[in-house]
Each structure stands twice: as C-alpha cells, then as structure tokens.
Amino acid sequence: MAKKEETPNMVESFAEFKQLKNIDKTTMISVLEESFRNVLAKMFGTDENLDVIMNPDKGDVQIFQNLEVVPDGEVSNPNLQIALTEARADNDPEVEIGEEHTKEIIFADFGRRAILTLRQTLQSKILELQKEAIYNKFKDLEGELVTGEVYQTWSRETLLLDDEKNELLLPKNQAIPGDFFRKGETIRAVIANVDNNNNNPKITVSRTNENFLRRLFELEVPEIHDGLINIRAVARIPGERAKIAVESYDDRIDPVGACVGVKGSRIHGIVRELRNENIDVIPFTSNPSLFIQRALSPAKVSSIRLDEESKKAEVFLKPDQVSLAIGKQGLNIKLASMLTGYVIDVYRDNDEVYEEDIYLDEFKDEIDEWVIDALKDMGCVTAKSVLNTPREELVRRADLEEETVDNVLEILRAEFEDSDDEQPAAPSAPAADEACGQPDVCAEEAPSADIAAAADAVEENAPADAASEKE
C-alpha cells in the first residue's frame, strides 16, 4: 500500500511541475529515474545491477535487482548475490547456481527516511532543471520586449516579476531618468542580458537600450511589425531625445507618416512610455550626405565635405542655423553622429569664397594650437570666419583672454593686409561689397585711378571738416 500511495504522489507532483515549466515527457522520466538511482546507490553501494522502470502516465515505478545465484551459505555480498534456496522461494523455482535472479524491490519498504531522501533528491534535480529551463528560455529572448510587475524597489535596482513569476532585475543605470516605480505597477522593458553563473540565472532588463525603442515602434506601428517598414538606425539619449531612421519597402507607404500616425496618435504612446523623450523620425537614405542633412534637422545645411575612410563630415551652415544643428546641450549633433556613424564637425558658412580664405591650421607657427582648437570648437575654422565674429563673442564663446584674442586678430589681419599689398585693386572690394553686393561687377566699373583720387580728396578735406565741427 505504501508504494501505491507514495510513488503516484511523486509522479503527480512532477507532472504538475511539467505543466507549469514546460518540461517535456522524456526529461521528466529521466529526472525521476536519476533521482531513484541516486538514492538506491547510497542504499546498496551501487546501482549497476538495478533496473528502474518508469511509467509516469500510470504513476508506476518498478525497481528490479539482478543478483547472482550462489550455493546456500556462500553469500559474500547480499547486494550482488543471493542464496539458491532464497532465489527459488522468490517465484523462481527452476533457477540454478551461477544464473541470474531478478528480485523486485519495494521502495516503500525501506521506510520514511528513504522516501524523504528520494523526495529531497527529486526536488533538487527539479530545481536545477527549472533554472536551466529559465536560462534557455530567456537567453533566446535577449532584445525582446517583456512586461513585469514591480515587486520590490531598492536604491540600485528594481525587482520585477513576469506572468510566470520569473524574477527580472532592472538596474538603476538601465532605467530612464525620471522613472519612479510603485509596487504592483506594470512596466515594460527589453531583456538586455542573461547570465547563468553557478547555475543561478540572472535576467537583466533595460529601458535605456536602443532595442527598447525598436520594440515599442514594432508594437505601435503595424507596418513595422508586418515588415513593410524597416527601422534602419536608432540613436538615443534616454530621457532627453532620440532619432530613428526608417524606410519603406512599399512606395505607397510614407514611413515617417506611418510611424507618427494621424495627429501623432502612434508616436504619442511611445513618448509617454519614454517619459516624454522627444523622438525625431527621419526617412533613411543610402546617400551619406543626404542622410547627414536629414539627421541634423531642423537645421538647414549649406554644404557637406565627407571623408568616408575616416568617417568624418564637415558640415557648413548659415550662422543662424548653427545653433539648430548643435541643439540644446549639443544633443542634436551628438544624436546625428550616433545615427549616421560619422563624426560631424559644424562650421559657419558666411558666404565667403573659401578658395580666397585661409584655414586656421595654416597659422600654427604663429598661434598656439590650443587657441586654434578653441576657435574651431565654436565653429570658426577659417581666418575670415574669425575676423567676421565680434571680438566680445570670441572672448566669451572660445573662453580666451582678451589679450589672446587681440593677438589672434592682429595676426589674421596682417595676413590679409599683406595679400592686399600684393593686389592694389583689392582694397576697393569691401567698399564695392557694401555698395552693391556684387563685388566683381562693381570692381570692374570703378577704375583704380578714380578710387585713389577720391581717397586723396577725402584726406585733403579732412582738416576742413574737423575745423567746421569745432566751430
């Protein structure tokens, strides 16, 4: 009776575990057999001559011991041998000395301690199997979206429980700045990493990972989920701003409009999930120059110089567009670099003819390199861009001493004065620029002799004008 009560209970318990943890039938039988063998090996010293037959569907577990038949009184090891008289009395009347006799073992006859040992061994095996199953399950789900309920919050991490009560850890540095969770609250995250140190699976989730933004778009935009729109690149500064590049495989579908939705209906849900993180959706293109222009929106780019080998881009913009390209705290240009994979340097475009200008790097013999770097950081890459910038702005934005700025301006002016001396007609250009805005045409119409005469006349009249003012 003991066997019929205990063994089915163990099988039924394991069957319940199988249903909850998705353990296959073959694994279930293997774990039960291994548990029985471990206990029997401790009891008999070995399990080599034992047969364990499992029938989990009926709850039957049969154990047979194979013993060598020896003459009466010559049994040296009862775990391996059996006397002839005892073997014939055990439903085997025709057995002879030297043959093998199979004896059935009733496990329940060994008492309560043996049953408890078996139960503990079985639980230990099940726990190991459970941990292995959890690890394998979540390892295949890395980068996927999961939903968990906040169970407990500590200073450095938050413990979540999914629908199957599996533990998910959300570290503080993987949470969006501004995240504040209450116990029982349901939140979403992506599985960032799964470790299994010492057979103890640790599942780490993240809300700052780029994949989190990808999965939210897949959830909110059916065209992305169906594969009609593809997310080509994502750049995020969690809690602040994000840029996402999308393209459509169907010419009839506007990828940006589909992601934003009617009146922003689709993207608003994502923004709320990301704690009001601003999201720019831009159309992807394989043209790097055009892609960089789109990534720097809302700024309008005048021109771009690319170095595809070193992945660097020099972007020239109108002065009023520089601040838009850089963005608040430099977020826009930083995200554009992350999105495109190019190191982007922004320079001012002052409508100067660049061939007639001189790069600041040419003055390294006269100006310290750190001073040049400070000027380049504020967007002044050429000599004329520095000269066209007010002195006070150079002092403030480049964080330079006034004497240093004055020295730089003097060196740069001297360079252009030397160039003017070599070309006598050149001094007329600034005046012509102010007069008609067409330097080439005006310079041709005003002979250099007339300009010199006009200049002499101004010098002769200067004392008279000054005297009249005193009077």
Side-chain angles (χ1 to χ4, degrees), residues 183-197:
K183 185 173 182 178
E185 182 180 357
T186 300
I187 63 173
R188 290 185 288 191
V190 293
I191 300 174
N193 188 37
V194 181
D195 293 325
N196 193 27
N197 297 329

Side-chain angles (χ1 to χ4, degrees), residues 13 66 78 93 106 133 196-197 270 286 345 366 384 414 422 448-449:
S13 299
N66 301 314
I106 307 302
N196 193 27
N197 297 329
I270 301 174
S286 57
D345 295 325
E366 301 175 83
K384 288 187 177 181
E422 296 176 1
S448 59

Side-chain angles (χ1 to χ4, degrees), residues 393-404:
E393 188 174 350
L394 292 173
V395 174
R396 178 177 57 85
R397 293 186 57 193
D399 195 19
L400 298 173
E401 299 289 339
E402 293 185 1
E403 295 180 0
T404 304

Side-chain angles (χ1 to χ4, degrees), residues 360-361 363-378 380 394-395 397-405 407-408:
L360 290 180
D361 292 335
F363 295 91
K364 288 185 177 180
D365 294 339
E366 301 175 83
I367 303 174
D368 292 336
E369 189 172 351
W370 66 270
V371 176
I372 294 177
D373 291 338
L375 294 171
K376 290 169 66 176
D377 288 341
M378 61 172 287
C380 296
L394 292 173
V395 174
R397 293 186 57 193
D399 195 19
L400 298 173
E401 299 289 339
E402 293 185 1
E403 295 180 0
T404 304
V405 172
N407 182 44
V408 171

